[in-house]
């Protein structure tokens, strides 16, 4: 799953790395994402467009780039079928069945209609039938199995094709859910697909900010906008160059943590547009100087932890990451650092 610029991490680097690792099927959300990905990856991999095709023009664009539209309604199927008739040859596509999410996909009635009149699918070369789980992160939720059963039952009425149900969390629900193809997204990028247990995934994202200034503050001082943080004893504050304009969410004000010189330190005061302030009183003075880097995600602060502190999910943290960072992509996935292992351990 490489929609939304590979969850904000850079599809230009992420997709070729996945292809080189053996991934042969990619999913994006929009036609534009699909066209760009085809240019990037060349002719070989399958590229499916989750939103399907809105009209004839998009259908033609999808065909020109050799993309698989994920057809979500009888209207989309009719448009694709008409294009195939015009082309005088079957055209490959994916069918999406809604099994309870009620967001995208063919409803029960539409699947029944297709089952009764398969000529509606004339010219549709169905390469995959898929559905999407609403509650996969809750392994005990009975909706998961209900959706699986509904999916298997309904797809039996359609042309036989490989089946796909599981996103990252779905993969961890057990083998019954993996079927022929899985669609992992967040797990590839370090999010925890089993939030009730230790995150089994490596942490490929390391976000660092640089200290711009260090200052001493007295017991009567306050820090930052709104004087929101009052100092209770003489302290040292490090000001770091990252803010909400960089996707370091403002909701992390007074809640986030960073790691500097191996020590976890709190974000104090408000996150501003370009800067955050850390209380580094507990870190030896020699280690805290302008120019020193601090870890904001990774290096002892897990992505899951940042998301929880911000009151959101890892997906939003990653897709919010700003454009101002200097981005370095390393083809080798880093092993868990001792700090990461410790952070994981401390949460369990
Ligand atoms: C985004 C998406 C996924 C991937 O979900 P993750 O939770 O990131 O693994 C899979 N399937 C569909 C239909 C999606 O929209």
């Amino acid at each position: 799953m490489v929609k939304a610029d590979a969850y904000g991490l850079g599809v230009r680097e992420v997709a070729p790395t996945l292809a080189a690792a053996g991934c042969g099927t990619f999913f994006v959300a929009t036609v534009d994402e699909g066209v760009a990905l085809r240019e990037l990856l060349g002719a070989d991999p399958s590229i499916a467009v989750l939103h399907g095709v809105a009209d004839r023009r998009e259908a033609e664009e999808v065909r020109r780039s050799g993309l698989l539209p994920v057809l979500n309604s009888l209207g989309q199927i009719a448009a694709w079928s008409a294009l195939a008739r015009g082309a005088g040859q079957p055209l490959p596509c994916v069918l999406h069945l809604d099994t309870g999410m009620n967001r995208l996909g063919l409803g029960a009635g539409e699947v029944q209609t297709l089952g009764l009149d398969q000529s509606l699918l004339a010219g549709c070369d169905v390469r995959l039938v898929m559905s999407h789980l609403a509650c996969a992160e809750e392994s005990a939720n009975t909706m998961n199995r209900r959706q699986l059963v509904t999916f298997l039952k309904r797809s039996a009425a359609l042309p036989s094709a490989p089946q796909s149900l599981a996103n990252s969390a779905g993969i961890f629900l057990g083998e019954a859910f993996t079927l022929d193809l899985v669609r992992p997204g967040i797990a590839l990028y370090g999010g925890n697909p089993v939030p009730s247990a230790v995150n089994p995934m490596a942490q490929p994202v390391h976000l660092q900010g640089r200290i711009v200034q260090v200052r001493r503050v007295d017991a009567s001082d306050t820090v930052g906008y709104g004087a929101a943080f009052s100092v209770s004893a003489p302290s040292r504050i490090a000001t770091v160059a990252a803010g909400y304009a960089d996707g370091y969410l403002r909701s992390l004000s007074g809640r986030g943590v960073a790691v500097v010189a191996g020590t976890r330190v709190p974000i104090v005061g408000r996150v501003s547009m370009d800067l955050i302030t850390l209380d580094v009183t507990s870190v030896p003075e020699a280690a805290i100087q302008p120019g020193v880097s601090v870890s904001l995600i990774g290096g002892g602060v897990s992505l899951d932890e940042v998301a929880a502190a911000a009151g959101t999910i890892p997906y939003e943290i990653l897709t919010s990451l700003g454009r101002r960072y200097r981005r370095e992509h390393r083809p080798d996935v880093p092993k868990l650092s001792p700090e990461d292992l410790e952070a994981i351990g401390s949460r369990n």
Side-chain angles (χ1 to χ4, degrees):
M1 194 61 63
V2 293
K3 59 192 177 188
D5 198 26
Y7 289 47
L9 298 182
V11 72
R12 297 194 67 81
E13 289 79 15
V14 169
T17 303
L18 290 172
C23 177
T25 303
F26 293 80
F27 288 83
V28 292
T30 67
V31 173
D32 285 354
E33 287 181 337
V35 170
L37 188 58
R38 176 61 76 207
E39 273 174 30
L40 184 65
L41 294 180
D44 282 346
S46 296
I47 300 172
V49 177
L50 288 167
H51 292 183
V53 284
D55 51 32
R56 180 77 186 210
R57 187 193 58 79
E58 270 199 356
E60 274 162 6
E61 222 179 332
V62 160
R63 183 182 173 220
R64 250 197 322 275
S65 290
L67 309 175
L68 293 162
V70 178
L71 303 175
N72 293 298
S73 67
L74 292 182
Q76 290 196 349
I77 289 172
W80 196 244
S81 176
L83 191 72
R85 273 200 307 282
Q89 63 178 102
L91 296 177
C93 60
V94 176
L95 296 183
H96 185 175
L97 312 191
D98 174 60
T99 53
M101 182 92 155
N102 280 309
R103 194 179 64 165
L104 274 184
L106 298 152
E110 290 178 301
V111 174
Q112 202 173 22
T113 303
L114 287 176
L116 291 172
D117 182 2
Q118 298 229 345
S119 76
L120 293 171
L121 284 167
C124 296
D125 173 10
V126 180
R127 298 284 177 88
L128 184 75
V129 179
M130 61 172 273
S131 189
H132 194 39
L133 296 166
C135 305
E137 290 192 348
E138 302 161 28
S139 56
N141 195 314
T142 55
M143 185 159 179
N144 294 318
R145 191 149 288 272
R146 272 205 311 283
Q147 284 194 269
L148 172 62
V149 170
T150 303
F151 177 55
L152 296 177
K153 215 182 277 173
R154 291 202 192 143
S155 42
L158 297 171
S160 133
Q163 296 170 313
S164 173
L165 181 61
N167 62 346
S168 298
I171 294 168
F172 291 82
L173 292 175
E175 249 173 80
F177 287 83
T178 57
L179 302 175
D180 300 303
L181 182 85
V182 293
R183 308 188 304 270
I186 195 68
L188 295 173
Y189 310 116
N192 190 357
V194 271
S196 59
V198 180
N199 189 342
M201 307 310 294
Q203 298 294 297
V205 177
H206 192 181
L207 177 66
Q208 293 177 295
R210 192 160 286 164
I211 296 175
V212 184
Q213 198 176 93
V214 185
R215 53 201 310 126
R216 293 177 175 286
V217 289
D218 289 326
S220 57
D221 282 334
T222 62
V223 177
Y225 278 121
F229 178 73
S230 300
V231 180
S232 56
S235 306
R236 272 179 304 126
I237 300 291
T239 304
V240 170
Y244 60 75
D246 305 298
Y248 196 84
L249 302 185
R250 191 165 177 276
S251 53
L252 289 163
S253 299
R255 303 179 56 94
V257 286
V259 171
V260 56
T263 306
R264 289 164 68 87
V265 294
I267 311 286
V268 293
R270 293 201 184 140
V271 172
S272 53
M273 185 182 291
D274 319 303
L275 296 168
I276 51 178
T277 36
L278 312 177
D279 184 341
V280 292
T281 313
S282 64
V283 185
E285 210 169 327
I288 304 290
Q289 298 297 329
V292 166
S293 284
V294 310
S295 292
L296 300 172
I297 301 174
V301 193
S302 75
L303 172 62
D304 299 313
E305 179 185 7
V306 174
T312 183
I313 51 177
Y315 305 72
E316 192 177 28
I317 298 292
L318 293 183
T319 56
S320 300
L321 288 175
R323 298 280 126 204
R324 273 199 295 197
Y325 298 114
R326 192 167 58 78
R327 289 174 178 238
E328 235 177 72
H329 290 84
R330 303 196 183 155
D332 54 317
V333 175
K335 297 274 184 299
L336 287 175
S337 70
E339 293 83 21
D340 283 325
L341 284 170
E342 198 176 312
I344 290 167
S346 71
R347 289 189 305 119
N348 289 277

